[in-house]
Amino acid sequence: MSERYSRQVLFPGIGKAGQEKISAKHVLMIGAGALGSGNAEILTRAGVGKITIIDRDYVEASNLQRQQLYTEEDVAEKLPKAAAAEKRLKAINSEVEIAAIIGDATPLLLEELVGGVDLIIDATDNFETRMAINDVSQKYNIPWIYGACVGSFGMSFVILPGKTPCLNCLLRTIPLQGMTCDTGGIIAPTVQMVISHQTAEAIKILVEDWDAVRTSFVSFDLWRNQYTSLKMSKAKVAGCLSCGEERTYPYLDHENMMKTSVLCGRDTVQIRPSKQGEISLEKLSGQLTSLGYVVKGNPYLLSVEMGEERMVIFNDGRALIHGTKDITHAKTIYHRILG
């Protein structure tokens, strides 16, 4: 047993047996922003065997106030968050296997990745992805931990298939937060509080101390000094299509997954091609430069300046068009650049 985990092993709730279980587990992290980077760092330091991180975005200056894994250098290089997180986490603990995926957590990708996963942690910023996580959790019997925060308000809930209500059930009972940090702001202590709730429950699950797992819905407002814990056992719906008696997992219907979407709270449209495939960023950079565009890039993406708008293109053909919420206009830009 590595000396680096000695203080954790001394804790009665974990011990040597618990640490061995932690080191054998695989956690799937959806999102590498504020919640994702904090969750990933704590679990990496705790010695989880493998952590797979999925994120579609890159590091920007506004992230540095609360997204603890990233630096000004990552901003300057426009590194994808998943790649920057992988580099930092490997430097923190080389014993942990880190797998970074730069892309969207689509239902198709989630179903490809869940084999051998012991726990899913929600660190995303949109309900389309959360509902897909929820259905994957129920279909493959994998626990997942919901978390969200905005301003000084945060919330978290552990979803155990077959035991607790799922997110689809929960939406009928609790009006979950609709604002985002891009519209309502965010303070770092709120992020840290949600991370603490998520990682505490994650470690309980990883050591298989099921009796210790919190099954109540937690919410708090640090600025107003409010804290609430609600029992949710009665929220389970027998007819729920995600976890009920005749479940159909509606959010895993690949045809229902949007290929074009406005990113939550931002003047940015994401366009995901119907057919994923690697593109040559080096070749594309040369073509766009010859046409007079200002192009900057790294091995993961290209940034193309277009007056007040900017297009960021990833290896898989996915693109972010910054400076607009107009999907039709964004599509026009996309086809003008990528054909």
Side-chain angles (χ1 to χ4, degrees):
M1 184 69 64
S2 174
E3 174 65 20
R4 74 187 302 157
Y5 308 119
S6 61
R7 302 304 184 270
Q8 189 163 278
V9 169
L10 285 172
F11 177 66
I14 297 177
K16 184 177 179 180
Q19 188 61 47
E20 290 174 350
K21 289 179 180 178
I22 290 172
S23 66
K25 298 296 174 64
H26 181 187
V27 175
L28 177 59
M29 191 77 60
I30 312 299
L35 294 179
S37 61
N39 270 280
E41 179 174 342
I42 288 175
L43 294 180
T44 296
R45 292 184 185 280
V48 171
K50 179 178 181 180
I51 300 175
T52 298
I53 304 173
I54 308 172
D55 193 276
R56 65 187 179 183
D57 212 345
Y58 58 94
V59 184
E60 298 178 280
S62 63
N63 303 148
L64 299 182
Q65 166 250 354
R66 67 198 179 281
Q67 299 185 17
Q68 64 192 56
L69 283 180
Y70 310 126
T71 66
E72 292 178 352
E73 183 180 352
D74 298 326
V75 174
E77 295 180 5
K78 285 187 170 59
L79 278 184
K81 291 181 181 178
E86 179 184 29
K87 179 177 70 173
R88 205 80 66 237
L89 294 172
K90 285 182 175 179
I92 289 170
N93 190 346
S94 60
E95 296 178 359
V96 176
E97 181 182 353
I98 306 293
I101 298 173
I102 303 165
D104 254 343
T106 63
L108 185 62
L109 179 59
L110 289 173
E111 290 203 78
E112 289 176 354
L113 292 175
V114 292
V117 167
D118 300 287
L119 173 65
I120 303 172
I121 294 184
D122 163 39
T124 187
D125 61 359
N126 69 90
F127 270 92
E128 180 186 16
T129 304
R130 284 188 176 115
M131 299 310 287
I133 294 170
N134 187 67
D135 275 9
V136 163
S137 162
Q138 298 299 321
K139 183 175 180 179
Y140 295 97
N141 195 35
I142 302 170
W144 75 285
I145 304 175
Y146 165 77
C149 52
V150 63
S152 58
F153 182 77
M155 58 183 78
S156 184
F157 183 63
V158 177
I159 296 172
L160 304 175
K163 295 181 180 179
T164 68
C166 75
L167 186 63
N168 209 5
C169 296
L170 214 63
L171 291 175
R172 303 174 187 232
T173 307
I174 296 179
L176 300 181
Q177 185 61 249
M179 285 198 304
T180 72
C181 58
D182 295 290
T183 57
I186 184 74
I187 57 173
T190 308
V191 175
Q192 295 299 322
M193 186 78 158
V194 175
I195 290 169
S196 293
H197 279 289
Q198 287 185 296
T199 52
E201 301 310 312
I203 292 173
K204 294 175 190 178
I205 290 170
L206 296 176
V207 302
E208 302 172 16
D209 189 352
W210 302 105
D211 291 337
V213 175
R214 179 193 291 272
T215 55
S216 58
F217 182 92
V218 171
S219 66
F220 59 85
D221 190 319
L222 293 179
W223 208 259
R224 294 178 176 84
N225 303 309
Q226 298 170 347
Y227 190 94
T228 305
S229 179
L230 300 173
K231 293 182 178 179
M232 301 306 303
S233 56
K234 294 183 179 179
K236 194 166 179 62
V237 178
C240 176
L241 296 179
S242 296
C243 72
E245 297 168 357
E246 297 183 7
R247 59 188 72 179
T248 60
Y249 311 114
Y251 299 98
L252 295 184
D253 184 344
H254 308 318
E255 295 303 317
N256 289 339
M257 195 71 179
M258 292 172 62
K259 292 183 175 65
T260 306
S261 59
V262 179
L263 293 195
C264 191
R266 297 165 64 182
D267 289 334
T268 301
V269 174
Q270 174 179 261
I271 296 179
R272 190 174 69 248
S274 55
K275 292 185 179 180
Q276 300 271 327
E278 291 284 321
I279 63 174
S280 171
L281 294 181
E282 184 178 359
K283 181 179 178 181
L284 180 60
S285 176
Q287 293 172 342
L288 294 176
T289 300
S290 67
L291 293 173
Y293 290 103
V294 177
V295 182
K296 298 178 181 179
N298 58 44
Y300 308 100
L301 57 82
L302 291 181
S303 177
V304 186
E305 301 290 340
M306 299 170 292
E308 295 182 356
E309 296 163 335
R310 181 165 55 90
M311 182 173 177
V312 175
I313 307 161
F314 294 86
N315 277 318
D316 59 2
R318 185 172 52 88
L320 301 177
I321 294 85
H322 296 286
T324 183
K325 290 183 178 179
D326 186 328
I327 289 178
T328 301
H329 178 57
K331 285 182 176 179
T332 300
I333 294 173
Y334 183 89
H335 290 300
R336 187 174 76 225
I337 299 296
L338 293 176

